[in-house]
Amino acid sequence: MKQFTRAALLCAAVLPGLAQADDCGEVSITEMNWASASVVTNVAKFIMEQGYGCTVSVVPSDTVPAITSVAENGEPDIVTELWLNSTGEVYERLEAEGKVVRAGKVLDPGGVEGWWIPTYLAEAHPELKTIDGILAHPELVGGRFNNCPDGWGCRIVNDNLVRALDLEGAGIEVFNHGSGETLASSMAAAVQNGEPWFGYYWGPTVPLGRFDMTRVDLGGYDKAAHEANQNPDNPNPKVSDFPAAPVLTSYTADFAEREPEVAEMLGKMTFRTDAMSSVLAWKAENNASAEEAAVYFLTHYKDTWSRWLNDAARTKLSALFSQ
């Protein structure tokens, strides 16, 4: 499969005739410094270049620097995989001032986080799909909750939930991992051995793409309780599940006016969160680059991306991925 992705990339590089140079001008797009964002950027870049004839420059960035650059310089044109919860009030101010346009969700339902168990455990013991079932049968999940490392935002929320649910009083040890690597490896080791595992994780990520996991129902989302649980000094933590984090594509108002057809495509560019996790798992297992992972997505999810494009771009891209 990796040989195919390399061939497809080479094919695209030597077929500039697929896109007319006057169709689209120069476009700049962020590439955030995490795996899913890099895949999103490379999918968008491939589509813009081969489908719409854009000359695309990629700007390595992170959430805060990207928004700061848009606020101060009006560029880059496109900011993708923008986790709205991490932007503070700056992004909302830019929207209110008409400087940026919210294209739409780039991840659906968004960034997911929660408490999980292996699906084989949920199938063997359906009562474990709810937190009440786990509290009643802690031995079935191995008597351990795998928590986030210190310093992570999820650690604060989890610590409050642990107190609200009295996990330790129910006989569940809280194991605070020292790093994201050990948290991920604990899941991998348990699932590969068919053993119980219970803990926090988020997506899109490689482990949630590689392993079949079931999210534990914590009893619904309570906005006030969840916001209070983000305070490490919460005196009275209450139980709330995690909401999906809104993750957007956004572009400048100038870009929307300059390249309306590309802007329309970006507004439709939505990846299912679980599908992105699967792409990331393939990327890790094949030691593939972000460019190769983008071609893997374009090859295997044609029914998804073809709905984003106008007729001309769809015809051009379909010529590359018709095999």
mmCIF file of all heavy atoms in Angstrom, residues 118 120-121 187-197:
data_model
loop_
_atom_site.group_PDB
_atom_site.id
_atom_site.type_symbol
_atom_site.label_atom_id
_atom_site.label_comp_id
_atom_site.label_asym_id
_atom_site.label_seq_id
_atom_site.Cartn_x
_atom_site.Cartn_y
_atom_site.Cartn_z
ATOM 1 N N PRO A 118 -12.183 -1.632 26.399
ATOM 2 C CA PRO A 118 -12.155 -2.391 25.140
ATOM 3 C C PRO A 118 -13.555 -2.908 24.796
ATOM 4 O O PRO A 118 -14.322 -3.303 25.683
ATOM 5 C CB PRO A 118 -11.195 -3.541 25.442
ATOM 6 C CG PRO A 118 -10.371 -3.079 26.594
ATOM 7 C CD PRO A 118 -11.280 -2.210 27.415
ATOM 8 N N TYR A 120 -14.415 -5.671 23.426
ATOM 9 C CA TYR A 120 -14.643 -7.060 23.806
ATOM 10 C C TYR A 120 -15.082 -7.164 25.269
ATOM 11 O O TYR A 120 -15.854 -8.054 25.628
ATOM 12 C CB TYR A 120 -13.413 -7.937 23.551
ATOM 13 C CG TYR A 120 -12.129 -7.483 24.216
ATOM 14 C CD1 TYR A 120 -11.897 -7.676 25.578
ATOM 15 C CD2 TYR A 120 -11.133 -6.883 23.461
ATOM 16 C CE1 TYR A 120 -10.711 -7.272 26.172
ATOM 17 C CE2 TYR A 120 -9.950 -6.475 24.045
ATOM 18 C CZ TYR A 120 -9.740 -6.666 25.400
ATOM 19 O OH TYR A 120 -8.562 -6.250 25.987
ATOM 20 N N LEU A 121 -14.633 -6.240 26.101
ATOM 21 C CA LEU A 121 -15.058 -6.229 27.497
ATOM 22 C C LEU A 121 -16.509 -5.769 27.611
ATOM 23 O O LEU A 121 -17.295 -6.323 28.389
ATOM 24 C CB LEU A 121 -14.135 -5.311 28.299
ATOM 25 C CG LEU A 121 -14.160 -5.424 29.826
ATOM 26 C CD1 LEU A 121 -13.749 -6.817 30.273
ATOM 27 C CD2 LEU A 121 -13.236 -4.375 30.445
ATOM 28 N N MET A 187 -2.902 0.876 27.166
ATOM 29 C CA MET A 187 -4.055 0.420 26.387
ATOM 30 C C MET A 187 -3.635 -0.660 25.406
ATOM 31 O O MET A 187 -4.293 -1.707 25.295
ATOM 32 C CB MET A 187 -4.696 1.592 25.634
ATOM 33 C CG MET A 187 -5.910 1.189 24.803
ATOM 34 S SD MET A 187 -6.454 2.454 23.624
ATOM 35 C CE MET A 187 -7.051 3.726 24.732
ATOM 36 N N ALA A 188 -2.545 -0.416 24.685
ATOM 37 C CA ALA A 188 -2.094 -1.371 23.675
ATOM 38 C C ALA A 188 -1.779 -2.729 24.296
ATOM 39 O O ALA A 188 -2.195 -3.772 23.772
ATOM 40 C CB ALA A 188 -0.862 -0.816 22.956
ATOM 41 N N ALA A 189 -1.060 -2.724 25.412
ATOM 42 C CA ALA A 189 -0.679 -3.984 26.038
ATOM 43 C C ALA A 189 -1.914 -4.760 26.494
ATOM 44 O O ALA A 189 -2.003 -5.983 26.306
ATOM 45 C CB ALA A 189 0.250 -3.714 27.228
ATOM 46 N N ALA A 190 -2.890 -4.064 27.079
ATOM 47 C CA ALA A 190 -4.089 -4.740 27.557
ATOM 48 C C ALA A 190 -4.895 -5.328 26.405
ATOM 49 O O ALA A 190 -5.307 -6.499 26.443
ATOM 50 C CB ALA A 190 -4.947 -3.765 28.367
ATOM 51 N N VAL A 191 -5.130 -4.524 25.370
ATOM 52 C CA VAL A 191 -5.967 -4.977 24.257
ATOM 53 C C VAL A 191 -5.303 -6.129 23.512
ATOM 54 O O VAL A 191 -5.960 -7.116 23.143
ATOM 55 C CB VAL A 191 -6.283 -3.804 23.312
ATOM 56 C CG1 VAL A 191 -7.021 -4.298 22.073
ATOM 57 C CG2 VAL A 191 -7.124 -2.752 24.028
ATOM 58 N N GLN A 192 -4.005 -6.023 23.289
ATOM 59 C CA GLN A 192 -3.312 -7.089 22.559
ATOM 60 C C GLN A 192 -3.303 -8.405 23.317
ATOM 61 O O GLN A 192 -3.203 -9.476 22.713
ATOM 62 C CB GLN A 192 -1.889 -6.626 22.234
ATOM 63 C CG GLN A 192 -1.855 -5.547 21.157
ATOM 64 C CD GLN A 192 -0.524 -4.832 21.055
ATOM 65 O OE1 GLN A 192 0.399 -5.093 21.834
ATOM 66 N NE2 GLN A 192 -0.408 -3.924 20.095
ATOM 67 N N ASN A 193 -3.441 -8.335 24.642
ATOM 68 C CA ASN A 193 -3.487 -9.543 25.469
ATOM 69 C C ASN A 193 -4.908 -9.931 25.877
ATOM 70 O O ASN A 193 -5.105 -10.885 26.635
ATOM 71 C CB ASN A 193 -2.640 -9.348 26.730
ATOM 72 C CG ASN A 193 -1.161 -9.270 26.416
ATOM 73 O OD1 ASN A 193 -0.664 -10.030 25.595
ATOM 74 N ND2 ASN A 193 -0.456 -8.360 27.067
ATOM 75 N N GLY A 194 -5.906 -9.168 25.393
ATOM 76 C CA GLY A 194 -7.287 -9.474 25.710
ATOM 77 C C GLY A 194 -7.638 -9.266 27.170
ATOM 78 O O GLY A 194 -8.534 -9.934 27.706
ATOM 79 N N GLU A 195 -6.966 -8.311 27.801
ATOM 80 C CA GLU A 195 -7.153 -8.060 29.223
ATOM 81 C C GLU A 195 -8.043 -6.836 29.451
ATOM 82 O O GLU A 195 -8.273 -6.043 28.534
ATOM 83 C CB GLU A 195 -5.790 -7.843 29.894
ATOM 84 C CG GLU A 195 -4.878 -9.065 29.815
ATOM 85 C CD GLU A 195 -3.477 -8.765 30.315
ATOM 86 O OE1 GLU A 195 -3.160 -7.554 30.498
ATOM 87 O OE2 GLU A 195 -2.694 -9.724 30.499
ATOM 88 N N PRO A 196 -8.535 -6.636 30.676
ATOM 89 C CA PRO A 196 -9.324 -5.427 30.972
ATOM 90 C C PRO A 196 -8.465 -4.170 30.887
ATOM 91 O O PRO A 196 -7.257 -4.200 31.148
ATOM 92 C CB PRO A 196 -9.804 -5.661 32.412
ATOM 93 C CG PRO A 196 -9.647 -7.115 32.660
ATOM 94 C CD PRO A 196 -8.484 -7.550 31.828
ATOM 95 N N TRP A 197 -9.105 -3.074 30.514
ATOM 96 C CA TRP A 197 -8.477 -1.750 30.547
ATOM 97 C C TRP A 197 -9.590 -0.737 30.715
ATOM 98 O O TRP A 197 -10.638 -0.843 30.079
ATOM 99 C CB TRP A 197 -7.690 -1.461 29.275
ATOM 100 C CG TRP A 197 -6.855 -0.202 29.344
ATOM 101 C CD1 TRP A 197 -5.568 -0.105 29.760
ATOM 102 C CD2 TRP A 197 -7.241 1.130 28.964
ATOM 103 N NE1 TRP A 197 -5.111 1.196 29.687
ATOM 104 C CE2 TRP A 197 -6.122 1.981 29.208
ATOM 105 C CE3 TRP A 197 -8.406 1.702 28.459
ATOM 106 C CZ2 TRP A 197 -6.168 3.349 28.957
ATOM 107 C CZ3 TRP A 197 -8.450 3.067 28.210
ATOM 108 C CH2 TRP A 197 -7.333 3.882 28.451
#
